[in-house]
Amino acid sequence: MINSILSAVTKIFGSKSERDLKTITPYVGLINQEFAKLQSLSDDELRNKTAQFKQRIAEYLSDIDTELDSLKAQTEVVDLDIHEKDTFFKQMDKLKKQRDEELEKVLMEILPEAFAVVKETARRLTENKQLVVQASTFDKELTAYTRLKKPVRIEGEKAIWSNSWEAAGNTVVWNMVHYDVQLIGGVVLHQGKISEMATGEGKTLVSTLPAYLNALAGQGVHIVTVNDYLARRDCEWNAPLFEFHGLRVDCIDYHQPNSPDRRRAYLADITYGTNNEFGFDYLRDNMSRDVSELVQRKHHFAMVDEVDSVLIDDARTPLIISGPIPKGDDQQFHILKPRIERVVNAQKAFVNTALPKLKN
């Protein structure tokens, strides 16, 4: 009886996914309209779009940022009463939340144009063996990159970007352009929802869209994978698409924990890594005694590949940090137990609340 009622309601109102698609589909048309406009631009003009987006975001948030700077300056006044300082900090916290909300609004405004820029870049790399632009300082820095040869070389005042490069020990020739279904997946991910895609529908390519858009905010994007091979492969595969636009890309799995290189990896515009390494770094940061020991910065936007595996299957085992401490294992467990319990409780809460939604 209940199933019959649910079936009838679904026929009348549509399923949740069908209703979501109705709100997302118009974005596909807007993205493709902007995509058509970009095809007449030069390679340099296409690259300049990134700087223009960043400027639009900065102007949109300028009033809030000015107010935040003013409050911060007031908290640094010598001999300021502690109660006044506390008031200022509370005002700053409120403004920061407001800033995050306003940032989401401006990113949604920019979304069609930003997604179109990524799609157009993918098209040009697919149809051309190389893209020639005015060499920037960042282009020159990439030519000196030692870990992996970047697909850019400098000739005089020009930077020449090749459409082939090394990824996971293999030569990659870029030949992918975003289809409409991938544009839909990109919008879904940007909205903080789960995008389920079949094998071969290009999940890795989908991730490039919200990664680029959210990287424009300058607060970092984390892309979480299930193992270090995928983290390194996806980083090496997609990095040139972002680096062509002046965005820094790194992978935390390249670097040792608590090292300067890992801190720099977290300061990149887009940071790849495994769920274990992100989790361990988070827990280690919670155990740090000084701000200078932190490796992660404020969390802004993250995408999780194989979300069911990372947040449900692997979540059965809590993250535990082991390491020598002065008072032995008992003291170590005493210190870590509250943090471990918080992780386990968070995982249980996710399974209890999110799993039924995933099944629906």
Side-chain angles (χ1 to χ4, degrees), residues 24 26 102 319 357:
I24 293 171
E102 293 301 312
L319 293 170
K357 296 179 181 178

Side-chain angles (χ1 to χ4, degrees), residues 121-129 163 174-177:
T121 306
R123 183 194 70 82
R124 294 191 188 197
L125 288 172
T126 299
E127 298 179 0
N128 302 279
K129 290 186 176 180
N163 75 334
W174 189 271
N175 61 353
M176 300 181 291
V177 183

Side-chain angles (χ1 to χ4, degrees), residues 16 41 107 122 127 130-131 140 144-145 150 159 186 194 208 213 216 262 273 279-280 336 339 349-350 357 360:
K16 176 67 165 59
L41 300 183
L107 288 179
E127 298 179 0
Q130 60 186 32
L131 304 180
K140 296 173 183 177
Y145 193 76
K150 295 294 183 177
I194 295 174
T208 61
L213 174 62
L216 296 172
R262 182 163 283 201
F280 279 127
L336 291 177
R339 294 181 176 87
F350 176 85
K357 296 179 181 178
N360 292 334

Side-chain angles (χ1 to χ4, degrees), residues 59-217:
E59 291 175 355
Y60 190 92
L61 300 174
S62 61
D63 291 342
I64 292 179
D65 286 339
T66 299
E67 193 171 351
L68 278 170
D69 290 340
S70 175
L71 287 171
K72 183 179 179 181
Q74 292 181 67
T75 62
E76 296 171 353
V77 173
V78 179
D79 298 329
L80 182 67
D81 180 82
I82 189 170
H83 298 293
E84 291 181 312
K85 182 174 286 192
D86 183 60
T87 300
F88 287 139
F89 278 123
K90 287 180 179 178
Q91 291 176 353
M92 288 176 66
D93 289 340
K94 185 178 179 180
L95 272 177
K96 286 177 182 177
K97 291 181 181 179
Q98 184 181 341
R99 187 187 191 279
D100 290 340
E101 294 172 358
E102 293 301 312
L103 175 60
E104 290 307 312
K105 292 179 183 178
V106 68
L107 288 179
M108 284 304 297
E109 289 181 9
I110 292 175
L111 185 148
E113 297 171 72
F115 278 26
V117 165
V118 180
K119 182 176 179 178
E120 174 61 13
T121 306
R123 183 194 70 82
R124 294 191 188 197
L125 288 172
T126 299
E127 298 179 0
N128 302 279
K129 290 186 176 180
Q130 60 186 32
L131 304 180
V132 181
V133 292
Q134 193 71 20
S136 66
T137 302
F138 184 59
D139 291 330
K140 296 173 183 177
E141 290 177 6
L142 289 177
T143 59
Y145 193 76
T146 56
R147 183 175 298 279
L148 196 71
K149 183 175 174 57
K150 295 294 183 177
V152 57
R153 68 181 190 275
I154 305 298
E155 292 186 4
E157 297 299 318
K158 297 294 183 181
I160 301 172
W161 285 79
S162 171
N163 75 334
S164 65
W165 52 83
E166 295 295 316
N170 298 310
T171 299
V172 173
V173 179
W174 189 271
N175 61 353
M176 300 181 291
V177 183
H178 304 76
Y179 293 109
D180 287 354
V181 66
Q182 293 165 330
L183 300 180
I184 291 172
V187 176
V188 169
L189 289 175
H190 173 69
Q191 293 177 338
K193 301 174 182 176
I194 295 174
S195 176
E196 183 178 4
M197 306 193 75
T199 301
E201 286 187 335
K203 291 183 295 181
T204 303
L205 189 60
V206 169
S207 70
T208 61
L209 299 164
Y212 171 80
L213 174 62
N214 285 275
L216 296 172

Side-chain angles (χ1 to χ4, degrees), residues 275 304 306-315 347 350-351:
N275 57 315
V304 182
E306 303 291 350
V307 66
D308 54 341
S309 175
V310 172
L311 296 183
I312 298 177
D313 298 339
D314 291 349
Q347 292 165 349
F350 176 85
V351 172

Side-chain angles (χ1 to χ4, degrees), residues 1 29 34 72 89 125 181 222 236 253 267 276 286 325-326:
M1 180 67 179
E34 296 296 333
K72 183 179 179 181
F89 278 123
L125 288 172
V181 66
H222 294 168
E236 294 165 7
D253 291 72
L267 291 175
N276 285 336
N286 276 296
I325 62 168

